[in-house]
């Protein structure tokens, strides 16, 4: 789980990433952390219900990795609780339509 290129661009330079602990569980759409940038603090939400199985430790000392590679600079890895929730996620085209809407 991470953020989109559009989101990191809107936030500006990320200076801190608040992440949960492995083993924490969240429901779909629940806040699981936050990103602090030079512009603002923004909450981040889990797209699927599940358990946090790993956090990206590299972001502790290098939060700017989110800006450098938002799709490779993941924040957490989860074990989904309900794979049926995958059907509720936006496709790339739907996301782009929403942004351009």
């Amino acid at each position: 789980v991470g953020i989109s290129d559009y989101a990191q661009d809107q936030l500006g330079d990320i200076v801190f990433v608040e992440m949960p602990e492995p083993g924490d569980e969240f429901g779909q759409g629940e806040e699981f952390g936050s990103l602090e940038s030079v512009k603002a603090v923004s909450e981040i939400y889990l797209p699927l219900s599940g358990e946090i199985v790993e956090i990206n430790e590299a972001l502790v000392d290098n939060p700017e990795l989110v800006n450098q590679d938002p799709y490779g600079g993941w924040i957490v890895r989860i074990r989904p609780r309900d794979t049926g929730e995958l059907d509720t996620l936006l496709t790339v085209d739907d996301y782009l339509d929403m942004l351009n809407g």
Side-chain angles (χ1 to χ4, degrees), residues 52-73:
I52 306 298
V53 294
E54 185 179 1
I55 62 169
N56 188 344
E57 296 283 352
L59 299 179
V60 173
D61 293 325
N62 300 297
E64 67 276 4
L65 293 173
V66 174
N67 295 111
Q68 294 169 2
D69 185 12
Y71 299 115

Side-chain angles (χ1 to χ4, degrees), residues 15-69:
V15 296
F16 181 74
V17 180
E18 178 185 45
M19 297 176 278
E21 295 293 324
D24 288 352
E25 293 193 28
F26 298 90
Q28 184 180 35
E30 288 187 343
E31 179 183 331
F32 72 91
S34 63
L35 299 172
E36 183 177 338
S37 73
V38 295
K39 293 181 180 179
V41 175
S42 181
E43 294 79 19
I44 44 181
Y45 302 92
L46 209 59
L48 302 172
S49 301
E51 176 187 355
I52 306 298
V53 294
E54 185 179 1
I55 62 169
N56 188 344
E57 296 283 352
L59 299 179
V60 173
D61 293 325
N62 300 297
E64 67 276 4
L65 293 173
V66 174
N67 295 111
Q68 294 169 2
D69 185 12

